[in-house]
Every structure is written in C-alpha cells, then in structure tokens.
Amino acid sequence: MDDPGVRSLPFAAALASVTRLAERADQVADALHKLREPEAAAVVAELGKDADQAAAAMRGLLVCVPRSTDWYEVHRQMWIRYGDLADLTAMKEEVHSCRRT
C-alpha cells in the first residue's frame, strides 16, 4: 500500500478498476473454456467472482444506511471536545427522555 511507485486512485476510479477487472476475468474465463482449459477457466472465474465481491463491497461503502443515532453520545462527545453547556443540557434532556419511555 505504501509503495511510492503506485499512484493513489480516487475511490470512484478504484471501483471502476475493480469492476473492469471482474469483466475482464469473465472474458478470459470464457476464452479459456472455449480452448478446453476447464481448470484454468475455473480459476479465472473464481478471480472474477472475487473481483465482483470486492466491487460490491466498495459500492456498499457509498450507500447511506439509515441508523438510529445515540444523541446522548453525540452530545457527550461534543461536550468533551468543546465544553459547550448546550451539549451538557442536551445530555441531561436525553437522559430524562429515556426515563420517560
């Protein structure tokens, strides 16, 4: 990863590169299969599947997944960092609202 000879790609370019790798692996596997090289075709097909999984994982990083927010922890971290009394008040209100539910 820290190889000075390798340039860093933007995330979108890296995703496109992995996607192209998956497509190319599929093409090579098809060609090897036509040449009656089933073992080599199977290895390349697995490479294609691995590249597809890597691309899917990278795409997953771009998808926003809604989650519940722990507002107490958010305000706690803000209180620790900035010492704003509004965050301390919000933490107190969050504790009281949790007790009511």
Side-chain angles (χ1 to χ4, degrees):
M1 287 295 201
D2 293 333
D3 186 354
V6 177
R7 66 182 177 93
S8 178
L9 290 176
F11 189 81
L15 177 59
S17 178
V18 172
T19 301
R20 280 192 307 273
L21 174 64
E23 291 168 357
R24 186 70 180 132
D26 290 341
Q27 293 170 349
V28 171
D30 288 342
L32 287 169
H33 190 48
K34 287 176 184 174
L35 291 172
R36 297 178 192 256
E37 293 290 340
E39 291 175 13
V43 169
V44 175
E46 283 300 312
L47 173 65
K49 288 178 188 175
D50 291 346
D52 283 335
Q53 289 176 345
M58 291 174 78
R59 275 188 219 95
L61 294 173
L62 298 175
V63 176
C64 293
V65 178
R67 346 173 215 183
S68 63
T69 302
D70 181 353
W71 287 110
Y72 178 85
E73 185 60 28
V74 169
H75 289 295
R76 180 179 174 276
Q77 291 300 321
M78 295 294 282
W79 167 251
I80 291 169
R81 287 186 190 141
Y82 305 111
D84 187 347
L85 288 176
D87 289 306
L88 191 60
T89 303
M91 288 167 53
K92 179 181 162 190
E93 289 172 2
E94 189 64 29
V95 169
H96 289 296
S97 70
C98 289
R99 288 183 183 169
R100 283 184 239 138
T101 57

